[in-house]
């Protein structure tokens, strides 16, 4: 138990625990863990809550995981020894356990089941009946969350209804069909309705799920179930027509069902009806709307109304690692690299694709500072473009500047201006600490950075952290936010009712928060009411709005887009060209170069289950192609 407490303090799951906090468990120092019997755990509120918080500890925050770093076409990981670098060349399989989640999530599920089976043993005068009911609802949500993560990584899973016994015959644990898995997760989430609140009354409960979080998970599950990976399409057969258990039962749906898109839209609408809204900086007291600040501060603000479900980590835990991964060398790791693919996906300031905007040019350098850079609500030195930066980065939409870090941009994670010059060569020390991503720069593609793309990620990186002083600012790790739900809704709606006015209405709401005021009806009128064309724009909007949050990985997976060559050809800047001492003004750096064509096999749409799991359970079948 003491180890559990120490782990939870490191995880920092809740900003403050509910009454009976973890910090009150001083008696744990007086009794060795091996003497802490099962009976005693269920005698005190502090032990019960510590057990539940330990279950919360199995929520994954994707950091160095391929979901957010290096597998989808938006990112690359510069470090050659990371597991994702093996994945993109197809060099992994059932014997690799570095990215295994199967056993990990089942540990969380078993602990949740144990909690639910024992919580009623606690006397009511220690934990009230109402609080027990709440705790059981939280535990059911967590089980549903773990099953949901299993479903999207592995497909059909094994359902556990009770804690496993020591003498359990695990050879009877078979996977169940996909649609049954979907219904099981949805039922777990629905069982929390009326028990979990729509909004917690106190910030002491930050990190706990709400009714909105439960409904949001259902939205995600229904969208996966409707998409091509598991639902086929009107013109193509399902991918897994031969996916069966050892008794011959089919584990994947065999016919396209358009009604699943309606279910997905309705599930998203259930969340929308609860009153969430897209965050704007005016929500934090600013007198004027600023799209750049809105898109940046969304991830720094712990309690804004766009957050549906999040983890709240201690300031020196996950986010210090994130900040240092995204910070240029030599002070940072410079390892979380954006690709030229995602840079090109961002729109121009007027809302056009870069290939369709006559004002967009890719040669020369900006002659003036971005007029949007000054005179706004609050000034951050990294807002917009600056004089001398390449024209490729001029007059792009605000989300581009909020999410991507490129050559000559000021470094983000510093506290005082005195630190900026540590990130610049002598000739560039101007008090702004502009990142030197060209070959001979301090963060150039040399040493262990030879596979650099020329970009880093700026999203979620704090401007009040200090990499040099090992200080990171507190902020939430957002798992689900309202923008995703809006995108879920319009994507599903477009598939079965492409002329519905909500599609354009909510599409423009998302882009409006991002500062794009030109409507799609003016920019690309041919897309309106056209299912195929509007689908492209909705998926493009997901790619931009949810960049670097993991959604691109899941979208390419569920819509069978990983196999398309344009999503496997990864581009970067010409980082190995000799800049000849010109530094930022070196035109040769700003040439697209093919970085890699990533390997693909359709079996890779699902993770392989570890062979050791297959060996332990004779009822378990491997995912297609991995056996």
């Amino acid at each position: 138990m003491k180890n559990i407490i120490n782990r939870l303090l490191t995880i920092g799951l809740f900003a403050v625990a509910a009454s009976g906090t973890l910090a009150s468990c001083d008696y744990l120092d007086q009794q060795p863990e091996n003497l802490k019997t099962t009976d005693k755990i269920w005698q005190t509120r502090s032990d019960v809550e510590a057990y539940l918080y330990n279950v919360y500890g199995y929520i994954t925050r994707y950091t160095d995981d391929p979901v957010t770093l290096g597998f989808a076409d938006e990112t690359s990981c510069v470090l050659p020894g990371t597991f994702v670098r093996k994945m993109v060349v197809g060099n992994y399989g059932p014997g690799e356990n570095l990215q295994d989640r199967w056993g990990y999530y089942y540990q969380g599920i078993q602990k949740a089941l144990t909690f639910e089976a024992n919580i009623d043993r606690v006397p009511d005068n220690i934990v009230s009946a109402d609080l027990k009911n709440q705790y059981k609802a939280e535990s059911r949500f967590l089980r549903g969350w773990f099953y949901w993560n299993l479903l999207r990584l592995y497909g059909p899973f094994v359902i556990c209804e009770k804690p496993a016994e020591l003498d359990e015959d695990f050879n009877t644990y078979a996977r169940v069909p996909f649609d049954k898995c979907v219904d099981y997760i949805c039922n777990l989430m629905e069982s929390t309705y009326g028990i979990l609140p729509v909004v917690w009354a106190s910030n002491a409960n930050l990190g706990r799920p709400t009714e909105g979080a439960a409904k949001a998970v259902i939205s995600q599950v229904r969208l996966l179930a409707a998409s091509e990976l598991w639902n086929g399409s009107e013109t193509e057969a399902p991918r897994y027509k031969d996916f069966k258990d050892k008794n011959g039962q089919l584990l994947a749906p065999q016919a396209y069902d358009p009604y699943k898109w309606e279910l997905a839209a309705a599930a998203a609408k259930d969340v929308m009806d609860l009153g969430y809204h897209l965050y704007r900086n005016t929500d934090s007291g600013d007198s004027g709307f600023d799209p750049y600040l809105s898109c940046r501060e969304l991830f720094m603000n712990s309690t804004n109304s766009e957050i549906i479900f999040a983890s709240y980590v201690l300031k020196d835990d996950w986010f210090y690692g994130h900040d240092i991964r995204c910070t240029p060398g030599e002070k940072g790791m410079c390892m979380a690299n954006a690709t030229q693919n995602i840079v090109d996906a961002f729109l121009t300031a007027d809302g056009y694709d870069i290939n369709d905007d006559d004002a967009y040019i890719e040669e020369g350098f900006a002659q003036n500072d971005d007029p949007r850079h000054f005179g706004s609500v609050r000034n951050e030195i990294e807002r917009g473009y600056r004089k001398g930066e390449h024209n490729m980065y001029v007059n792009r939409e605000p989300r581009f500047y909020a999410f991507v870090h490129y050559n000559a941009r000021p470094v983000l994670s510093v506290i005082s201006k005195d630190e900026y010059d540590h990130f610049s060569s002598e000739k560039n020390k101007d008090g702004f600490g502009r990142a030197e991503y060209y070959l001979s720069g301090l963060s150039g593609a040399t040493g262990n950075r030879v596979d650099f793309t020329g970009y880093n990620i700026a999203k979620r990186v704090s401007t009040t952290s200090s990499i040099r002083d090992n200080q990171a600012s507190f902020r939430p790790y957002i798992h689900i936010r309202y923008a995703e739900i809006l995108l879920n809704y319009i994507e599903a709606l477009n598939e079965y009712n492409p002329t519905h006015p909500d599609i354009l209405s909510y599409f423009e709401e998302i882009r409006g928060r991002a500062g794009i005021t030109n409507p799609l009806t003016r920019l690309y009128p041919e897309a309106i009411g056209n299912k195929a064309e509007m689908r492209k724009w909705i998926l493009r909007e997901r790619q931009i709005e949810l960049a670097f949050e993991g959604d691109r990985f899941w979208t390419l997976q569920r819509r069978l887009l990983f196999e398309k060559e344009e999503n496997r050809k990864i581009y970067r800047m010409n980082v190995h060209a000799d800049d000849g001492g010109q530094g930022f003004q070196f035109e040769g750096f700003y040439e697209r170069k093919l970085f890699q064509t990533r390997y693909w096999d359709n079996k890779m749409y699902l993770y392989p289950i570890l062979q050791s799991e297959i060996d332990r359970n004779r009822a378990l079948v491997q995912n297609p192609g991995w056996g």
Side-chain angles (χ1 to χ4, degrees):
M1 284 296 297
K2 185 176 180 182
N3 290 338
I4 289 173
I5 298 298
N6 290 336
R7 170 174 165 75
L8 286 162
L9 290 175
T10 301
I11 292 172
L13 182 63
F14 302 121
V16 182
S19 58
T21 62
L22 301 182
S24 67
C25 301
D26 296 335
Y27 65 90
L28 291 174
D29 293 329
Q30 303 170 20
Q31 189 167 33
E33 183 180 345
N34 61 351
L35 297 181
K36 199 77 170 174
T37 66
T38 301
D39 288 338
K40 288 190 175 181
I41 291 174
W42 309 108
Q43 290 179 2
T44 67
R45 176 168 173 170
S46 56
D47 279 350
V48 166
E49 291 178 340
Y51 196 103
L52 177 59
Y53 299 160
N54 183 242
V55 181
Y56 272 96
Y58 284 86
I59 295 175
T60 300
R61 298 185 298 279
Y62 294 104
T63 52
D64 296 339
D65 193 284
V67 170
T68 54
L69 183 58
F71 198 74
D73 59 354
E74 62 184 1
T75 57
S76 177
C77 180
V78 76
L79 299 182
T82 51
F83 185 73
V84 71
R85 295 290 295 273
K86 298 176 66 176
M87 291 183 69
V88 297
V89 297
N91 186 20
Y92 70 108
E96 303 281 355
N97 63 2
L98 289 178
Q99 289 300 322
D100 174 59
R101 291 286 184 270
W102 183 270
Y104 177 81
Y105 283 125
Y106 274 109
Q107 288 180 39
I109 289 166
Q110 283 295 316
K111 290 193 175 185
L113 287 168
T114 299
F115 179 84
E116 292 166 43
N118 286 280
I119 180 65
D120 286 331
R121 297 169 58 186
V122 184
D124 287 348
N125 64 331
I126 295 175
V127 177
S128 70
D130 286 345
L131 191 54
K132 290 176 189 176
N133 198 29
Q134 173 198 307
Y135 285 167
K136 284 186 283 188
E138 291 179 50
S139 183
R140 291 195 299 276
F141 173 92
L142 292 171
R143 277 199 288 136
W145 180 261
F146 302 147
Y147 278 124
W148 161 226
N149 280 273
L150 285 170
L151 186 71
R152 56 183 174 177
L153 282 172
Y154 297 95
F157 49 69
V158 175
I159 293 177
C160 300
E161 298 281 13
K162 59 183 179 61
E165 302 292 340
L166 291 177
D167 59 351
E168 193 93 35
D169 180 7
F170 292 101
N171 294 311
T172 63
Y173 280 70
R175 302 171 78 173
V176 300
F178 178 84
D179 283 341
K180 185 174 180 180
C181 292
V182 167
D183 290 340
Y184 188 76
I185 296 170
C186 293
N187 289 338
L188 279 174
M189 293 301 169
E190 289 169 358
S191 75
T192 69
Y193 294 178
I195 304 173
L196 298 180
V198 174
V199 177
W200 288 101
S202 169
N203 286 347
N205 293 306
L206 289 176
R208 295 182 188 270
T210 59
E211 182 176 322
K215 290 184 173 182
V217 172
I218 293 176
S219 169
Q220 293 178 318
V221 172
R222 292 295 184 191
L223 191 67
L224 173 64
S227 299
E228 289 87 340
L229 180 64
W230 294 106
N231 195 27
S233 70
E234 295 170 286
T235 59
E236 297 181 17
R239 284 295 171 100
Y240 301 121
K241 59 185 178 63
D242 298 318
F243 190 12
K244 303 175 182 178
D245 68 12
K246 292 192 175 181
N247 293 321
Q249 177 180 223
L250 286 164
L251 295 179
Q254 297 300 299
Y256 173 67
D257 184 357
Y259 180 61
K260 289 183 177 180
W261 288 112
E262 292 190 50
L263 288 175
K269 192 63 166 62
D270 282 346
V271 186
M272 293 161 61
D273 291 340
L274 292 177
Y276 296 99
H277 69 263
L278 298 178
Y279 172 80
R280 292 183 173 228
N281 63 299
T282 49
D283 295 349
S284 296
D286 292 332
S287 59
F289 167 60
D290 185 308
Y292 170 85
L293 286 179
S294 298
C295 293
R296 286 268 306 146
E297 292 183 346
L298 158 65
F299 301 96
M300 308 299 154
N301 187 312
S302 297
T303 58
N304 71 76
S305 295
E306 186 165 343
I307 299 174
I308 297 177
F309 185 52
S311 292
Y312 292 80
V313 297
L314 293 177
K315 66 185 225 177
D316 289 326
D317 181 35
W318 185 86
F319 275 108
Y320 174 70
H322 177 68
D323 290 345
I324 199 169
R325 290 179 186 92
C326 299
T327 297
E330 298 292 326
K331 308 302 178 183
M333 295 181 69
C334 203
M335 67 172 280
N337 308 147
T339 64
Q340 189 66 40
N341 304 51
I342 187 64
V343 169
D344 290 344
F346 283 96
L347 307 170
T348 65
D350 289 329
Y352 286 103
D353 180 288
I354 58 172
N355 298 304
D356 300 330
D357 195 332
D358 293 338
Y360 174 79
I361 57 176
E362 288 195 353
E363 58 184 22
F365 300 86
Q367 299 302 304
N368 300 288
D369 288 329
D370 189 340
R372 299 169 296 180
H373 184 86
F374 300 103
S376 296
V377 178
R378 285 191 301 279
N379 187 41
E380 293 182 337
I381 67 165
E382 74 278 1
R383 178 192 278 107
Y385 61 87
R386 284 188 166 268
K387 181 179 179 180
E389 293 178 0
H390 198 265
N391 279 329
M392 182 184 293
Y393 313 129
V394 169
N395 288 328
R396 303 295 291 271
E397 60 162 301
R399 288 179 296 191
F400 171 71
Y401 303 104
F403 297 169
V404 177
H405 202 266
Y406 56 83
N407 190 43
R409 287 203 77 193
V411 173
L412 297 177
S413 289
V414 294
I415 289 179
S416 68
K417 288 189 175 181
D418 293 338
E419 298 182 11
Y420 286 117
D421 282 344
H422 292 279
F423 295 89
S424 301
S425 300
E426 197 64 37
K427 63 183 178 182
N428 289 326
K429 290 184 178 180
D430 57 4
F432 293 110
R434 295 189 293 167
E436 301 174 352
Y437 291 153
Y438 53 87
L439 184 62
S440 64
L442 290 184
S443 303
T446 59
N448 65 353
R449 292 193 300 270
V450 293
D451 291 328
F452 186 41
T453 65
Y455 299 97
N456 274 314
I457 296 170
K459 195 176 206 176
R460 288 176 165 160
V461 176
S462 174
T463 58
T464 57
S465 294
S466 174
I467 294 302
R468 295 190 66 250
D469 293 336
N470 298 332
Q471 297 181 40
S473 298
F474 175 82
R475 72 211 92 146
Y477 183 96
I478 303 174
H479 299 286
I480 313 175
R481 59 187 179 98
Y482 186 56
E484 178 191 341
I485 300 302
L486 293 182
L487 288 162
N488 291 356
Y489 177 60
I490 63 176
E491 181 182 341
L493 195 57
N494 181 66
E495 295 298 327
Y496 74 91
N497 190 2
T499 61
H500 197 294
D502 277 3
I503 297 171
L504 193 60
S505 175
Y506 289 110
F507 182 86
E508 299 295 1
E509 182 175 333
I510 296 168
R511 285 159 62 107
R513 193 268 297 276
I516 299 172
T517 58
N518 283 331
L520 201 67
T521 51
R522 180 187 306 165
L523 299 171
Y524 297 95
E526 68 278 5
I528 310 305
N530 183 314
K531 181 196 294 188
E533 287 301 311
M534 196 63 199
R535 181 191 298 134
K536 293 177 184 177
W537 281 107
I538 291 170
L539 295 184
R540 174 78 164 272
E541 192 61 25
R542 292 192 79 103
Q543 181 183 17
I544 297 169
E545 174 65 29
L546 302 176
F548 315 127
E549 296 178 53
D551 184 80
R552 183 64 175 170
F553 178 98
W554 303 120
T555 298
L556 292 177
Q557 177 217 45
R558 64 182 174 80
R559 302 223 62 155
L560 299 179
L561 296 174
F562 268 120
E563 62 204 63
K564 295 190 177 299
E565 188 176 56
E566 63 263 31
N567 299 323
R568 293 188 292 108
K569 285 187 174 296
I570 308 302
Y571 291 88
R572 64 178 174 186
M573 288 283 87
N574 190 12
V575 296
H576 293 141
D578 184 0
D579 57 82
Q582 299 176 69
F584 297 135
Q585 301 291 314
F586 173 51
E587 190 76 61
F589 175 86
Y590 303 98
E591 298 175 0
R592 285 176 188 77
K593 293 293 180 181
L594 181 64
F595 174 38
Q596 58 189 192
T597 300
R598 291 175 176 169
Y599 174 83
W600 182 257
D601 186 302
N602 285 342
K603 68 181 181 181
M604 294 162 65
Y605 278 119
L606 299 178
Y607 269 32
I609 299 174
L610 281 184
Q611 188 59 43
S612 58
E613 298 284 353
I614 302 292
D615 294 340
R616 278 197 293 263
N617 179 1
R618 291 191 297 272
L620 197 61
V621 294
Q622 182 60 273
N623 275 330
W626 292 107

